[in-house]
Amino acid sequence: MRAGVRSIMGFGLAAAVLGGLITGCGGGTEDWGGAAPSWCPTVAGHGVDCGVVERPLVQGRAELGTVQVGYARIKHSRADVEASGTVLPNPGGPGVPMIGHAAEAATLSQALLDDYDVLLIDPRGTGVSDALDCGVGQDAYQLDTREAQLQAVAHCGQQLGEKAAGYTSAATVDDFDAVRAKLDIDKVIPYGISYGTYLLPIYAQRHPDHVQSIVLSGAYPNDSDQLQRPNAEAVSLALQRICERSHVCDGNTAVDDLRTVATRLRDKPITVAGKGPILLTEAKFGSLVFEAATSNVGADPETLTPLGMLPAALHSAVRGDDAGLIEFVRRTTDEPAYENIGLYITVACNDYAPLWSPEAALPQREQQFGEALAKASGGFGAFSAQGFTAAQRDGGDACIRWPGIKGLQRPDQVRTAMPDVPVLVLSGDLDAITPDANGKLAAAKFAHSTFVSVPNTGHVPDLEPSGCVVGIVAHFVRTGTAGPTDCVTTIPPIVVAPVTN
């Protein structure tokens, strides 16, 4: 599963390891005649070079225009030595910018910044890189009905027209390499989080000679299950694990309660006041459970999270009391979106493998999707097949009204081998957005990969505050090996609200 709108909320990789370094704007410049652009971040103790690279929107289609791709290179603090390397992070989405969230997304410890540079690039269509607007509201797309989502996708495609072909993962990583070349960097260390774990392996495929090693956190492969059944099953696993580890609920009962509530909402949705208000169907509830509820879990293990409150809320709802369920919905929908939702839609609908032929007319697409769903042999955990596929904002039938774009090659259709470099893959074992099962598949794409499942963490595990995970990452960046990983066993269970009968 790809990152949801709130799957990188509080993406405090740097908050745990870079707290306070990013202090404002007005850093150095390479391209601006001595005056830094207003968006250039200031990083305490480090020089920052900012600039733009002009790129064709669609290669070979000059009439469609260009895109200005902005970057900010945070330089290592030891000016007396050459940089040991350059880390190239991407925090996911699609649609999340880097430069404006530098404090959250730098992903390096102060010690690593002593001798490593960090190259922040806003992907085309985000942030300072000509942010995309196709007339779709972020919260509306996240919280509205499925029909409204389908209409929004169609509207976005119509608004963009032929320019939609310019917003793909392949075009984005080619931009990244153009920045790398401009700055005369030989090799980079791609560090992908969530959708970044889909994006940056494409960089490695297309530019293998310029990759030193790769870190993937919250990972999934480009050919993962099109119905996203591992994600549905991961919800049940997460409930069972938090109950087993907290000793305040029964995992099997929690899963049964989830199934009962999902069935009830399928037949009789309820309306929850808040942003909207929100019509809580099985699909909308499923989206909030597997996306929002497993995001950032473990970042503050002593604070009750939506996932931690879920077993008790479900148990009460089964017995006729929806107060906990309503509070769960409010807790999972009260934060603003990070992503540029237009780019999120465009990249997802251009790149992710559909369950229909993109060349088919809409009635044929709908028939093909229905046939694929009918052939599905279970695997949706506590949800129905229809309910869980409609819970996916970038999967199921979400892109069924997206216009067919000729000549695009999806990443899952590319057979180019991955470079033979060291790769570290991290998954949180409470994550249903990019579950362990998908992390293992992502690791298997590389000949020399290390997979680490991090207990008691969700999407993404780097958020846990002990320093264990970022320590593993720092060791890997320096050495190309994960080193000791035993510290993950000391990460404490999350708080879970007791279930009372």
Side-chain angles (χ1 to χ4, degrees):
M1 173 61 193
R2 290 63 76 163
V5 167
R6 289 170 176 81
S7 68
I8 45 72
M9 289 306 299
F11 166 62
L13 301 175
V17 293
L18 260 189
L21 283 178
I22 312 294
T23 58
C25 295
T29 179
E30 290 192 345
D31 297 331
W32 299 85
S38 60
W39 48 259
C40 189
T42 295
V43 182
H46 299 270
V48 183
D49 289 333
C50 295
V52 297
V53 173
E54 185 174 57
R55 298 278 298 155
L57 180 62
V58 178
Q59 197 71 38
R61 297 286 307 275
E63 73 277 10
L64 295 179
T66 61
V67 60
Q68 304 291 321
V69 178
Y71 65 85
R73 175 171 58 173
I74 304 173
K75 293 186 175 181
H76 63 289
S77 58
R78 290 192 60 193
D80 58 321
V81 297
E82 292 290 327
S84 299
T86 299
V87 178
L88 176 65
N90 179 272
V96 180
M98 279 299 313
I99 296 170
H101 300 293
E104 299 165 312
T107 72
L108 294 174
S109 68
Q110 178 63 63
L112 204 52
L113 275 170
D114 282 347
D115 50 351
Y116 281 81
D117 292 343
V118 182
L119 180 57
L120 310 179
I121 305 174
D122 279 357
R124 57 170 57 199
T126 74
V128 304
S129 297
D130 292 349
L132 182 66
D133 182 3
C134 63
V136 177
Q138 289 177 294
D139 283 330
Y141 188 77
Q142 163 73 359
L143 302 176
D144 215 331
T145 64
R146 187 59 164 185
E147 175 59 26
Q149 290 175 337
L150 298 180
Q151 291 176 8
V153 168
H155 177 76
C156 183
Q158 290 165 2
Q159 288 286 103
L160 291 175
E162 292 184 315
K163 290 186 176 182
Y167 299 99
T168 65
S169 299
T172 298
V173 301
D174 288 350
D175 294 343
F176 290 2
D177 199 61
V179 173
R180 177 207 60 76
K182 175 183 175 63
L183 297 177
D184 197 26
I185 299 168
D186 182 26
K187 293 181 184 291
V188 294
I189 302 168
Y191 188 161
I193 291 95
S194 192
Y195 162 73
T197 71
Y198 178 97
L199 177 70
L200 293 179
I202 297 171
Y203 179 92
Q205 279 183 309
R206 295 175 72 87
H207 307 284
D209 294 339
H210 300 294
V211 176
Q212 180 175 328
S213 60
I214 304 172
V215 180
L216 305 176
S217 181
Y220 63 100
N222 61 29
D223 57 354
S224 55
D225 180 48
Q226 291 169 273
L227 292 170
Q228 297 183 19
R229 285 166 288 191
N231 307 78
E233 292 172 340
V235 172
S236 298
L237 284 173
L239 288 174
Q240 290 169 331
R241 286 167 177 166
I242 64 174
C243 286
E244 177 185 352
R245 295 165 188 175
S246 66
H247 308 292
V248 298
C249 53
D250 177 75
N252 290 332
T253 300
V255 174
D256 288 342
D257 288 344
L258 176 61
R259 182 176 291 105
T260 299
V261 171
T263 300
R264 195 237 298 182
L265 293 174
R266 188 185 318 149
D267 297 330
K268 296 180 180 179
I270 63 175
T271 300
V272 178
K275 291 183 179 180
I278 298 167
L279 182 65
L280 192 64
T281 61
E282 178 194 17
K284 186 59 60 184
F285 183 54
S287 178
L288 297 178
V289 169
F290 93 98
E291 283 196 357
T294 68
S295 296
N296 306 337
V297 172
D300 185 357
E302 297 181 359
T303 297
L304 183 64
T305 63
L307 181 63
M309 67 185 292
L310 190 56
L314 291 169
H315 204 61
S316 294
V318 167
R319 284 151 182 76
D321 180 2
D322 285 341
L325 192 65
I326 290 169
E327 179 60 21
F328 170 85
V329 174
R330 290 175 177 162
R331 288 278 300 274
T332 52
T333 58
D334 64 357
E335 293 181 340
Y338 261 28
E339 295 158 333
N340 179 307
I341 198 64
L343 190 70
Y344 176 90
I345 291 170
T346 305
V347 172
C349 293
N350 280 343
D351 280 5
Y352 295 159
L355 288 156
W356 54 85
S357 170
E359 291 75 30
L362 181 59
Q364 285 71 44
R365 292 184 183 190
E366 291 173 338
Q367 179 181 348
Q368 291 164 5
F369 175 73
E371 291 171 351
L373 206 57
K375 292 177 182 177
S377 56
F380 292 97
F383 301 95
S384 69
Q386 293 80 4
F388 193 74
T389 52
Q392 303 161 24
R393 295 174 307 109
D394 57 0
D397 63 348
C399 294
I400 202 164
R401 299 181 192 174
W402 184 251
I405 300 175
K406 295 181 180 180
L408 288 185
Q409 184 181 45
R410 296 192 314 268
D412 66 288
Q413 297 171 320
V414 176
R415 298 293 177 261
T416 306
M418 293 291 180
D420 188 6
V421 297
V423 179
L424 173 66
V425 180
L426 302 160
S427 293
D429 81 346
L430 301 180
D431 183 7
I433 299 171
T434 53
D436 270 1
N438 283 348
K440 292 174 183 176
L441 292 176
K445 299 288 184 180
F446 298 90
H448 293 92
S449 64
T450 300
F451 175 76
V452 180
S453 178
V454 184
N456 303 314
T457 61
H459 188 75
V460 290
D462 318 54
L463 292 166
E464 65 83 23
S466 75
C468 168
V469 174
V470 274
I472 293 170
V473 172
H475 186 280
F476 176 81
V477 168
R478 289 192 177 283
T479 67
T481 64
T485 61
D486 293 348
C487 64
V488 300
T489 63
T490 67
I491 296 173
I494 67 169
V495 173
V496 180
V499 173
T500 56
N501 292 317

